[in-house]
Amino acid sequence: RRQEKKISNVSSIAVITLLISFFGLLLPGLHEVQNPLDVLLTPGTSSEMMSGISEAAPILLTTAIYQNIIPSVTKILKYDRLKTVAAISIGSFIPICLFIAWSYACLGGGITEEVGCDGWLYTTFSIAAIIGSSIGCTMSITEELDSFISGSNESSDNSKTLNPLVSLIAVGVPSAAALVFAGGDDFSVALRLGGSYGSPFLYGVIPVAMAWMQRQKVEGARDLVPGGFKPLAVMGMASSLFMLQELAADASTLIV
């Protein structure tokens, strides 16, 4: 569709701009790190490693979630299993490596305003990141909502134009929720709440329940999730325990 092609072109421009500005910050920043060994061996600010991991886990979990773009990636690759697995695997591994390199450069004092050309590279990087990620998330959420509202058979028609109301909901509801939970501050609180409850429930509890129901109700059908009962039980229990731990921590904060 012409509309999807225009959006794809804008997204491609945002990704290219993002990569140029990112490496324009990262490469000089890595070069400016004075003592690499000290950066790797210096302890963190948290008194206990496990408590620090527990505090950071919700935000890390939220930023690592990529399942919402899988339907769009699968559709673009024409539902080819091998290409989809390769795209998801490589597309997950590369950002992890870049994130580690970026963290290393920042902790080593290499990322400074001088490296960022008096700040304009930072601004360019931020704008490109927001535009690119917003387009990807909005497209995937819009397609999912449209499939629920219009039905899977209708939504699979490539000539079909998406409902503007669906696109508005896909943009408006998450934006409003983020602003409300941010509480006039940055979006760390919204990310923490999403990582504490939303991500484990949507990507841990619900998939386990769906796979379990499919195995119970559809006899003789091929399992959607291989591996038997144990992987499902581990995933469901881990997600549930993580949410309970975060709920207990939030409740104790409110009581105090």
Side-chain angles (χ1 to χ4, degrees):
R1 289 180 294 183
R2 184 178 300 178
Q3 183 181 7
E4 289 185 352
K5 186 176 181 180
K6 290 181 179 179
I7 295 176
S8 179
N9 291 336
V10 174
S11 180
S12 298
I13 294 173
V15 170
I16 293 173
T17 305
L18 173 68
L19 291 175
I20 293 175
S21 58
F22 177 79
F23 283 107
L25 292 167
L26 178 62
L27 296 180
L30 291 174
H31 182 266
E32 291 295 325
V33 177
Q34 299 298 324
N35 196 329
L37 190 60
D38 284 348
V39 176
L40 297 175
L41 298 180
T42 300
T45 57
S46 179
S47 58
E48 297 181 3
M49 183 178 68
M50 293 307 299
S51 64
I53 294 175
S54 178
E55 293 175 2
I59 295 180
L60 293 175
L61 185 60
T62 301
T63 56
I65 292 298
Y66 57 85
Q67 284 90 337
N68 59 336
I69 66 171
I70 289 180
S72 299
V73 173
T74 306
K75 184 177 180 181
I76 292 173
L77 297 176
K78 298 180 180 180
Y79 305 98
D80 185 288
R81 182 180 182 87
L82 182 60
K83 292 181 179 179
T84 302
V85 171
I88 294 172
S89 301
I90 298 174
S92 301
F93 177 73
I94 293 177
I96 290 176
C97 295
L98 296 178
F99 173 75
I100 293 174
W102 176 264
S103 300
Y104 169 77
C106 290
L107 293 175
I111 305 296
T112 62
E113 188 173 348
E114 289 75 14
V115 170
C117 298
D118 294 329
W120 70 268
L121 269 181
Y122 290 105
T123 303
T124 303
F125 173 76
S126 300
I127 293 175
I130 292 173
I131 292 175
S133 60
S134 298
I135 290 176
C137 291
T138 301
M139 287 181 63
S140 60
I141 295 174
T142 300
E143 289 187 4
E144 291 187 26
L145 291 176
D146 188 65
S147 66
F148 283 116
I149 295 174
S150 302
S152 58
N153 292 331
E154 295 181 7
S155 61
S156 61
D157 184 5
N158 289 332
S159 63
K160 183 178 180 295
T161 302
L162 293 177
N163 188 341
L165 180 61
V166 176
S167 301
L168 181 62
I169 294 174
V171 176
V173 174
S175 300
L179 291 174
V180 170
F181 288 116
D185 204 348
D186 58 26
F187 292 103
S188 298
V189 176
L191 289 173
R192 187 186 66 79
L193 291 175
S196 298
Y197 307 106
S199 297
F201 184 73
L202 288 175
Y203 304 115
V205 176
I206 290 182
V208 169
M210 292 174 62
W212 174 258
M213 292 175 63
Q214 184 257 352
R215 293 180 180 181
Q216 296 297 317
K217 293 184 178 181
V218 186
E219 297 182 359
R222 183 180 178 183
D223 289 340
L224 293 175
V225 181
F229 172 75
K230 290 183 179 179
L232 292 179
V234 171
M235 175 65 73
M237 291 180 62
S239 301
S240 301
L241 290 175
F242 181 80
M243 288 190 294
L244 289 175
Q245 176 187 353
E246 295 300 319
L247 181 62
D250 290 341
S252 63
T253 302
L254 292 175
I255 293 175
V256 174

